[in-house]
Amino acid sequence: MGRNFENRKNAIFKTAAQKSKLYSKYGTKLYVVAKSGVADPDANPVLRSLIEKAKRDQVPAHVIEKAIEKARGAGGKDFVSARYEGFGPGGSLVIVDCLTDNNQRTITDVRNCFTKTGSKLGASNSVAISFDQLAILSFKGENEEQVLEAMLGADINIVELECEDGRLTIFAPPGEFYKAKTALLQAFPETELEVQEIAFLPQSSKALGSEDLAMFQKFISMLNECEDVQDVYHNVDLPS
């Protein structure tokens, strides 16, 4: 079978490990959202939205159900949110959002990623000030005026409505996320949301040289391997 078989086998194992990591991250998120609110998607819009996102990322139903059932039980782990900000390779700006039941483990893991790539952790809001936190809803369509009318009719103060390559994207304040989503789906029931999240968007992007870019990609990969890291936001203009 030779080298081709070995390469294929390694690729399969790597993909399996990546899926396992993805499932674990979603399992934690689902558990926390269900535990902190109501463990019923029909009564908990945050949980419902997260389940929809997990399904789009092909997380198996049994992983989703197990996390919610675990949240319904007594006891369990107590997770808290932790956010770290800092300066990555080439002066890039990075925000790392975590869910943790052990702060010491989390900060150690995140700090190691910074240290081993010549990066530097910063103080709270040292980086976030250069980002905008926004609710984002993106879907296929070109009926820009009708969507805008629907948002204004629902008294949603959208930040921007972007139309590009046959896709519309609504940017709104974080607190308007569920209100905007509800108004959109009521006005256009057939809409399939490709993106529905609250995220940090950089106010400006940064291009890196080849050396810094390679180190930055290593840095991001290391962060994503950390058990407690959920989301990483940055301002680097990555090659397509």
Side-chain angles (χ1 to χ4, degrees):
M1 288 180 281
R3 176 59 57 188
N4 286 340
F5 173 75
E6 286 300 316
N7 289 341
R8 182 169 175 271
K9 182 177 71 174
N10 289 337
I12 290 170
F13 287 154
K14 183 177 180 181
T15 300
Q18 289 171 338
K19 285 183 178 179
S20 177
K21 181 72 68 175
L22 178 70
Y23 299 165
S24 176
K25 287 179 186 288
Y26 266 113
T28 300
K29 272 187 177 181
L30 288 161
Y31 171 81
V32 170
V33 169
K35 191 78 173 176
S36 60
V38 181
D40 177 3
D42 292 332
N44 186 339
V46 182
L47 179 60
R48 185 166 62 250
S49 180
L50 186 56
I51 290 172
E52 291 170 1
K53 186 177 180 183
K55 288 179 177 178
R56 285 198 305 277
D57 284 343
Q58 299 182 330
V59 176
H62 71 84
V63 173
I64 296 171
E65 291 164 5
K66 183 179 178 181
I68 296 172
E69 279 303 313
K70 187 177 176 183
R72 288 193 178 110
K77 294 182 179 180
D78 290 323
F79 287 88
V80 295
S81 299
R83 175 170 294 151
Y84 304 100
E85 303 174 32
F87 306 89
S92 54
L93 305 179
V94 181
I95 298 173
V96 185
D97 275 352
C98 306
L99 285 173
T100 179
D101 62 337
N102 184 326
N103 277 309
Q104 190 56 49
R105 178 191 66 220
T106 305
I107 183 59
T108 298
D109 288 349
V110 172
R111 184 185 287 118
N112 283 341
C113 295
F114 276 83
T115 302
K116 291 178 180 180
T117 56
S119 306
K120 182 181 178 182
L121 275 169
S124 176
N125 210 39
S126 59
V127 166
I129 196 171
S130 298
F131 288 72
D132 295 316
Q133 190 179 28
L134 295 169
I136 305 168
L137 300 169
S138 187
F139 49 96
K140 289 180 181 177
E142 296 180 334
N143 51 337
E144 193 172 353
E145 289 186 7
Q146 292 177 332
V147 170
L148 184 58
E149 284 179 12
M151 294 297 103
L152 293 175
D155 198 27
I156 295 163
N157 182 28
I158 66 170
V159 175
E160 185 178 351
L161 178 60
E162 179 181 278
C163 183
E164 188 175 328
D165 299 327
R167 180 178 286 103
L168 286 167
T169 304
I170 298 170
F171 299 94
E176 301 273 69
F177 177 80
Y178 295 105
K179 187 179 175 182
K181 179 181 173 182
T182 300
L184 178 68
L185 295 180
Q186 284 179 346
F188 309 98
E190 302 302 315
T191 298
E192 291 187 16
L193 291 167
E194 297 177 357
V195 177
Q196 47 174 318
E197 63 183 7
I198 296 174
F200 283 97
L201 299 182
Q203 293 166 2
S204 62
S205 59
K206 184 177 183 66
L208 299 180
S210 57
E211 211 171 291
D212 284 333
L213 181 59
M215 185 59 74
F216 176 80
Q217 290 172 324
K218 177 184 177 182
F219 174 51
I220 296 299
S221 179
M222 289 174 65
L223 284 171
N224 284 324
E225 285 298 312
C226 292
E227 179 182 352
D228 303 321
V229 171
Q230 298 295 321
D231 296 295
V232 180
Y233 306 101
H234 60 81
N235 71 331
V236 174
D237 187 9
L238 294 173
S240 55

